[in-house]
Structure formats: structure tokens, C-alpha cells
């Protein structure tokens, strides 16, 4: 057997499966849902990773390149923001014919992106895209413009778009089929606006919870991120990216962006290459293998090298090892920042040369034509070879051909019918429900009775902003007036659930946006509104639903220095708890905000990790028992600010030793999530006690619903290498499957692992498989087997 010749964890190439083999006690439900009953990670990954067969446009690209001037080629490598071709902003934005002609017809700019202010109605998008593509048809070679937009959790820059949970919430579902369907709807609505390219998914792995883009990740595990990332790509691109219901994806932010040492956005990460390949590269490798068409570069630096000039990662690894054949686009203004921020280039012309030669194909400039002019000069001076320009432009043209833009680049009015279909809203509600994680349910206080008198209080109770977070109608997600009036906040959903007679809402505290420089002033500030009144009303209630968490933020404006929940919210919680009434907290947030001061006195805790516009109704459904929660944490929830460890920490980090290490005691473990029913794991069996590197080991386990309600359970398979030449992790996720069980029903699941699953990236940055003992862990069960040293 040829062991691990690729640089990333070999789970992507193994012939593996996990299928329910047997079931008993309850008959299959005859009702058909949008999704299969069992969402099995590797059976799904194996299927979704099959790269679609797209037409080969090499002859067309070669012919077109032969006709293009240097200026036309460099124009294709230029991306400008929408303000460079428009006048006005927000709802008043309109095409400026003079600016548009200069950008597209004079300079041949090949790409435009995003919004100038906030989301636009689909009719306005059609007018803008039509004008841009009409201008492109006036050029000598009639090369269409590729328009790109951040469709992050749905078509969030189209006013009518359907919004889903943010990626951290989708990670909590552990359901790749759900992710694929959400991305498919996102693609359909984005393409309906005439936009063929989305800057998503985020494949950064969230192992630093302070990072203000943590909620844009699928969590801290590279395998879960890989499975969900491939699902996102497959949903966006489908089997034919030229379809009028599909868009090109852009994997971001390649690579290592999410692990800044100090937790602040766009600050240095220090990542040894073997660690990079073990933990941060696998999601990108998996998505490239599945055929993703574009990649966006890390907007920070790793080991002192800014992402945009890291030729080793952009060319040696991405092109030569991973065989990526799409095009690479920079992030916002990042070539210019090589001069202004990173100080690695003396001027923008040299920065342009460095970035292009490192492997960037298109520059998100985005405010002027300096890049276009200076790159043209560099080519004519011989400082950037024409071969490199042809390589970059050829890649860009290929994606434009694959998207079908040369055949028809104009918006199709008939596709407006694909926006905001009722079934899309229903699906978004399903996704929101699955994203919720029940963290605590002391003495089964939940579900609540609809006959109880309920006080709802807290800063996130009446906020769609907190349910959505950034990239919602505007960059920061902060404009309340843009949110749809028919969507229910948590407060409104609970009011509807229990009726006005049994309901009371008092704000308590409020999150307001800060002012001043983002790096010195908090984005969101908590203020006392009427805590005393909330306490007074709590005394009259049977139960209090206390809604805590965060406002909206992303990137640098979301920087914080402490994960602890803001003091004003803690004061509100303590005041309410002092009444002695039972309190259930709902945490609407994108990061795990520390709640240890109050956690022990809360009777119930429900995490709502940015579930989207349907999140209010989803929360009410779970609180009152109309939906049985089934989300699981895709990250470790810390108890104190300076005690964070990821779930796959080294065992010696948390075991009692002569050095006095304290036991690992997070607030909640990775993979934690309660249900209104109960599940029992039994009969974990490893079919062979010893295997050779050429063999596979088959693992089976029984899972039974021992409660009184139907429910879903995510079965997670962990593997531990007991001894290795590099100190091994305590456990790593290798498989998972989400199953539905009726009361009394048992399912037997089988998983297969091979030598690739037992490998790790060695000190020489290459995959290593070493003989020795391994432990499989499922639930509270474990079994050992041995990998021998020869076939």
C-alpha cells in the first residue's frame, strides 16, 4: 500500500464509509424530508469531493490571449469596488456612465465587487450588472466582467435574500447535507441577481476564540471544517458552475489567517509548517480537490511573511502540491498594505511585482487604477515576465468561460422567481433549529410550559442583529432598519408562543455601537436601560428567559481583549438571579463569551450561534419543546479568559504532573450538546486487534434512544495515537454521523479507518504513519487496536 503521498491528512482519499447497518423497535417514517435521515461524514465527503467534469476551454483561452495587448491582460487582473463605477451610495446608488466607461472600456478592468453601503434589491442589481456587461461588450474583445460578492450566510447583499445561520452555527449542526442545501439556495439567489461569484466559504479553522471572525468558521476541528467546507463548495458550484442556479466559490483566507497570536484581526500568526499542514491546510486541500474555482489570500501574515507574498504557500503548496487550477484573488487593498502596513515593500510598484510573482492572479485593488498602470509598466520593463501575466489571465479567463459568461453575461429577469421562495424560508428555519445547542438543562427545566408566566429580558432579546452578526445587509450587520419587519426576534417569537397574558418583556440592558477608532474603542458597548424594572417584573414571573450575548461585528471592529461577557450583562444576570426565580439564558453570540460567574446559578442555557433571521422562532421552538435540540458544539467553550485549550490538546497539558498542571476544565467540552431525549451507546467493537498498514479496521457501535421523544444524535468517532515521534494529541475527530432515532429505536453504525487516519504530519512536514497502539473513542466507550510495522 502506498502510504500518504499527499501533504494533508489522508482522510480525503480513503475508501471509507459509515452506514446504519441495523435498526430495531421503530418503523421508518414514511414522510420524506429535504434531507436524508443519516448524514454520514465520509460517505458524504467521498461523494462530494468528486470533481465535476467541466469543458476544456484551453483552445479558446489560447486564441484570446494571442489577441490581447499587455494593457488588456493587466485589466483582467484588476478588481475594483462598485464605487469606482457608480455615483451615490446605499439605496441611491446608480451607474455613473463616465466612470464606468473609463474603468471597463478604457482600462479593461475584468472584475467589480460588492456594495457601496448596503444590500440592494434584485431589480437594482439587474440594472447595475446589465450596465457593466453592456459596457464590456463595447470593448475590442468583448470579454465579460466577473462580478463578485460576499454571500456569506445566504444572499446577504440582496435585500430579498434568504439568510441562514453563520458558519459557526452550521458547524454546530454537524450536518453537511444541510450545509450543501443552504449553499445551493445561496447560489440560486445570488445568480438570480446576475452575480456569478461568491467570496465564500471561509475555511479558516477557528482555534483562537478571541479572533473577531471566529463565527465565520466551522469551529476548531480541521476534519469537521473540511467536510462542511466541501459541502459549501458543492452547494455553490454544483456539477455545472455555468448553470443559472450556481456560482463560483472562493475559498478564504488561504491560509493561517484565523490563528493570530494575540487574537486581534490581521495581526501576526506564528505557525510551524507541520502544524499548518496538520490543522489549517486540510480544509483548503479538501475543497481544492472537490474543484473549487477561486481562492482568496490570507489578509495577515504567517511567521513574518505577509500572505500575499508567500510564494511557498501560494505556488509551491497550492499549485504544485494541491494542483489548484483556478485563480487566486487578493483580499481588500492588500497589495497596497505591503507598503503601508507590513513594510515589506518600499512602494506600490514593487509591492505589485512581489505579489504577482508570488502567485496572485487578480488584485482586489480596489479604489483606483494604480495597480493597473504599475503592473503594465512592470511588464514592459521586463520585471514581470509575460509568461506570468498569461498564466494569471488564462486562469481568470478559464473561470469566466466555465461560468458561461462568454455565452451570456446578462442578468435573466426570469430568475427573479428564484428569490425568497417559501420553501427556502422553511429550510432556513430548519437550519436555525439544528444550529442551536442546549448547553445546560438543570432538573429538566426545559422545555418550558406555554402556560407559565414568562419574563423575557436582556440586550439580545429583541435584536435580529444579534441573531445574524456581520455580513448582513451591511458589512458590520449593524443597520437595524434594513432587517425584514416580518422576522421574529426572540422576544416576539416567545410572545407569540405563550400569548400576551403570560408574557412580559423588559429590556434590562442594551448593546449600542461604540464610536471612535475601531482599534481603541469597543465596537459594542452595554448600557443599563432598566435593570431595576426587570428585577421587579422577574419577581412576578414563573420563569425568566435571559437573553445575553453580542451585537454584530467582523474583522478589526470586532477586536476585543477579553472573552468575558460584558460587565453590564453580568450585572443584569446577577440582579435577576437574586430574585430566586428560575432563569434560562439564551446566548446569541459568535464567540464563546465567558459566563462562569453566573453559569452555576442558571437553570438552563441555550446557545444560539448566529442562527440568522429565523433564529428567533427557532429559539422559541426549542425553549417550549416544539423542536428537540440536536446541535453540538464545534468548539471548546472556555471557563476563564486564560485557560483556553482546544479539544485535541496534548494529554500532558491537562494531567496532574510534577509541574502542577491543572485538570482540563472548560465550561463545556467540544461536541457537547443536550437533547430532550436520551441516548445510550453500547457494544463498541473493533473487528481486528492488530492490522497491517495495508489493512483497514472496522468499528461498529450501537446507539439507542432511551428517552420518550424522537431526536437526532451526532455520533463522533475520535482516535488517539498512544505513542508517536511527535507528542500526539489526546484525541482527534476522524468520523461523525448524524442520525435520527425514535423512542426505543437502536441503530448500529459502522465506520472504517485505514492507515491514513493514523498518520500525522512529521517534523519534516511530510505525512508519517508509525506502528503502535491506537484508541478509538465513541461516547464514553473506548477500544484499542495495534498498527503493525509491516504489511
Amino acid at each position: 500500500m502506498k502510504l500518504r503521498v499527499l501533504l494533508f491528512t489522508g482522510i480525503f482519499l480513503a475508501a471509507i464509509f459509515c452506514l446504519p447497518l441495523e435498526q430495531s423497535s421503530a418503523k421508518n417514517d414514511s414522510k420524506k424530508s429535504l434531507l436524508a435521515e443519516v448524514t454520514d461524514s465520509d460517505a458524504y465527503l467521498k461523494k462530494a469531493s468528486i470533481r465535476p467534469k467541466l469543458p476544456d476551454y484551453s483552445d479558446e483561452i489560447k486564441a484570446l490571449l494571442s489577441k490581447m495587448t499587455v494593457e488588456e491582460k493587466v485589466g483582467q487582473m484588476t478588481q475594483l469596488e462598485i464605487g469606482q463605477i457608480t455615483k451615490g451610495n446605499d439605496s441611491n446608488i446608480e451607474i455613473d456612465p463616465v466612470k464606468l466607461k473609463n474603468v471597463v472600456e478604457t482600462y479593461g478592468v475584468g472584475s467589480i465587487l460588492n456594495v457601496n453601503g448596503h444590500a440592494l434589491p434584485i431589480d437594482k442589481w439587474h440594472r447595475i450588472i446589465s450596465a457593466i456587461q453592456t459596457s464590456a461588450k463595447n470593448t475590442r474583445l468583448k470579454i465579460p466582467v466577473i462580478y463578485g460578492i460576499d454571500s456569506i450566510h445566504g444572499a446577504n447583499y440582496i435585500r430579498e435574500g434568504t439568510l441562514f445561520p453563520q458558519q459557526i452555527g452550521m458547524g454546530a449542526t454537524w450536518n453537511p447535507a444541510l450545509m450543501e442545501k443552504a449553499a445551493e439556495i445561496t447560489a440560486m439567489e445570488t445568480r438570480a441577481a446576475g452575480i456569478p461569484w461568491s467570496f465564500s466559504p471561509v475555511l479558516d479553522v477557528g482555534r483562537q476564540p478571541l479572533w473577531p471572525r471566529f463565527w465565520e468558521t466551522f469551529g476548531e476541528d480541521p476534519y469537521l471544517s473540511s467536510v462542511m467546507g466541501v459541502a459549501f463548495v458543492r452547494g455553490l458550484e454544483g456539477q455545472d458552475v455555468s448553470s443559472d442556479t450556481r456560482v463560483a466559490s472562493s475559498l478564504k483566507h488561504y491560509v493561517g489567517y484565523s490563528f493570530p497570536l494575540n487574537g486581534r484581526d490581521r495581526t501576526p500568526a506564528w505557525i510551524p509548517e507541520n502544524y499548518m499542514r496538520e490543522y489549517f491546510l486540510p480544509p483548503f486541500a479538501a475543497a481544492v480537490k472537490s474543484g473549487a474555482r477561486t481562492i482568496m489570500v490570507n489578509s495577515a501574515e504567517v511567521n513574518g511573511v505577509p500572505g500575499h507574498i508567500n510564494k511557498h504557500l501560494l505556488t509551491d503548496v497550492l499549485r504544485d502540491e494541491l494542483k489548484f487550477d483556478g485563480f487566486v484573488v487578493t483580499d481588500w487593498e492588500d497589495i497596497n498594505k505591503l507598503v503601508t502596513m507590513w513594510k515589506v515593500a518600499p512602494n506600490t510598484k514593487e509591492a505589485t511585482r512581489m505579489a504577482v510573482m508570488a502567485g496572485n492572479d487578480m488584485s482586489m485593488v480596489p479604489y483606483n487604477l494604480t495597480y493597473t498602470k504599475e503592473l503594465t509598466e512592470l511588464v514592459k520593463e521586463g520585471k514581470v515576465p509575460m509568461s506570468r501575466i498569461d498564466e494569471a489571465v488564462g486562469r481568470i479567463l478559464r473561470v469566466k468561460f466555465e461560468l458561461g459568461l462568454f455565452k451570456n453575461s446578462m442578468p435573466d429577469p426570469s430568475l427573479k422567481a428564484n428569490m425568497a421562495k417559501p420553501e427556502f424560508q422553511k429550510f432556513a428555519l430548519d437550519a436555525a433549529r439544528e444550529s442551536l445547542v442546549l448547553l445546560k438543562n438543570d432538573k429538566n427545566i426545559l422545555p418550558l410550559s406555554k402556560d407559565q408566566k414568562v419574563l423575557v429580558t436582556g440586550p439580545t432579546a429583541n435584536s435580529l442583529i444579534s441573531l445574524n452578526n456581520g455580513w448582513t445587509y451591511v458589512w458590520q450587520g449593524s443597520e437595524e432598519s434594513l432587517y425584514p419587519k416580518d422576522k421574529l426576534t426572540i422576544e416576539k417569537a416567545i410572545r407569540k408562543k405563550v400569548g400576551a397574558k403570560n408574557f412580559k418583556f423588559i429590556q434590562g440592558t442594551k448593546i449600542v455601537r461604540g464610536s471612535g477608532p475601531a482599534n481603541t474603542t469597543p465596537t459594542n458597548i452595554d448600557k443599563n436601560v432598566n435593570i431595576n424594572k426587570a428585577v421587579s417584573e422577574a419577581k412576578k414571573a414563573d420563569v425568566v428567559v435571559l437573553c445575553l450575548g453580542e451585537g454584530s461585528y467582523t474583522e478589526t471592529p470586532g477586536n476585543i481583549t477579553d472573552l468575558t461577557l460584558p460587565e453590564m450583562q453580568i450585572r443584569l444576570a446577577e440582579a435577576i438571579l437574586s430574585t430566586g426565580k428560575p432563569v434560562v439564558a439564551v446566548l446569541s453570540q459568535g464567540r464563546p463569551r465567558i459566563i462562569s460567574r453566573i453559569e452555576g446559578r442558571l437553570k438552563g442555557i441555550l446557545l444560539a450561534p448566529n442562527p440568522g433571521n429565523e433564529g428567533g422562532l427557532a429559539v422559541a421552538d426549542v425553549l417550549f419543546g416544539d423542536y428537540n435540540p440536536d446541535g453540538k458544539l464545534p468548539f471548546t467553550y472556555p471557563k476563564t479568559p486564560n485557560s483556553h485549550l482546544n479539544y485535541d490538546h496534548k494529554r500532558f497539558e491537562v494531567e496532574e504532573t510534577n509541574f502542577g498542571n491543572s485538570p482540563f476544565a472548560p465550561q463545556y467540552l467540544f461536541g457537547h450538546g443536550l437533547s430532550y431525549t436520551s441516548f445510550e451507546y453500547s457494544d463498541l467493537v473493533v473487528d481486528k486487534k492488530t492490522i497491517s498498514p495495508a489493512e483497514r479496521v472496522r468499528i461498529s457501535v450501537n446507539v439507542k434512544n432511551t428517552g420518550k421523544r424522537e431526536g437526532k444524535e451526532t455520533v463522533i468517532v475520535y482516535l488517539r495515537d498512544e505513542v508517536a515521534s511527535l507528542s500526539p494529541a489526546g484525541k482527534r475527530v476522524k468520523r461523525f454521523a448524524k442520525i435520527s432515532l425514535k423512542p426505543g429505536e437502536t441503530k448500529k453504525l459502522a465506520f472504517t479507518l485505514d492507515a491514513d487516519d493514523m498518520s500525522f504530519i512529521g517534523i519534516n512536514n511530510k505525512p508519517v504513519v508509525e506502528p503502535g497502539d491506537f484508541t478509538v473513542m465513541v461516547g464514553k466507550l473506548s477500544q484499542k487496536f495495534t498498527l503493525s510495522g509491516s504489511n
Side-chain angles (χ1 to χ4, degrees), residues 47-48 50-55 180 234 236-243 246 290:
K47 180 180 179 181
I50 298 173
R51 183 180 177 132
K53 294 182 179 179
L54 301 177
E180 181 179 342
R234 186 55 54 239
L236 291 181
E237 297 190 352
Q239 295 300 313
D240 179 8
V241 75
S242 71
S243 166
R246 302 292 180 170
S290 74

Side-chain angles (χ1 to χ4, degrees), residues 377-421:
E377 292 173 4
L378 287 165
V379 176
K380 292 182 177 180
E381 293 166 1
K383 295 178 180 177
V384 173
M386 184 60 75
S387 59
R388 173 68 189 106
I389 298 297
D390 285 348
E391 180 181 59
V393 177
R395 292 166 178 165
I396 294 166
L397 293 176
R398 184 175 299 279
V399 173
K400 290 185 177 185
F401 273 112
E402 290 170 343
L403 284 166
L405 296 181
F406 281 90
K407 292 181 180 179
N408 181 20
S409 60
M410 303 297 284
D412 183 346
S414 70
L415 297 181
K416 294 178 185 179
N418 286 339
M419 292 299 302
K421 292 183 176 182

Side-chain angles (χ1 to χ4, degrees), residues 524-594:
N524 298 300
I525 301 171
D526 286 76
K527 292 189 175 180
N528 183 351
V529 177
N530 44 17
I531 291 179
N532 291 338
K533 187 174 181 180
V535 170
S536 177
E537 291 296 334
K539 295 175 182 178
K540 305 173 189 176
D542 295 321
V543 64
V544 179
V545 176
L546 176 62
C547 300
L548 307 173
E550 298 182 309
S552 62
Y553 57 89
T554 188
E555 302 188 43
T556 303
N559 285 342
I560 58 175
T561 57
D562 188 348
L563 277 172
T564 304
L565 197 68
E567 182 63 24
M568 191 60 67
Q569 293 191 46
I570 295 291
R571 291 181 189 176
L572 170 64
E574 290 179 330
I576 297 295
L577 287 163
S578 71
T579 66
K581 292 301 177 79
V583 179
V584 174
V586 178
L587 306 177
S588 300
Q589 56 193 28
R591 290 175 282 209
R593 302 306 293 263
I594 291 168

Side-chain angles (χ1 to χ4, degrees), residues 92 531 790:
N92 298 319
I531 291 179
S790 59

Side-chain angles (χ1 to χ4, degrees), residues 737-748:
K738 193 165 191 175
I739 59 175
S740 181
L741 292 169
K742 297 181 183 302
E745 183 181 10
T746 298
K747 286 183 179 176
K748 184 175 184 178

Side-chain angles (χ1 to χ4, degrees), residues 141-159:
L141 296 174
K142 304 183 183 344
I143 300 174
V145 169
I146 181 171
Y147 203 102
I149 200 165
D150 287 283
S151 288
I152 302 298
H153 66 125
N156 45 261
Y157 276 155
I158 303 168
R159 289 294 297 272

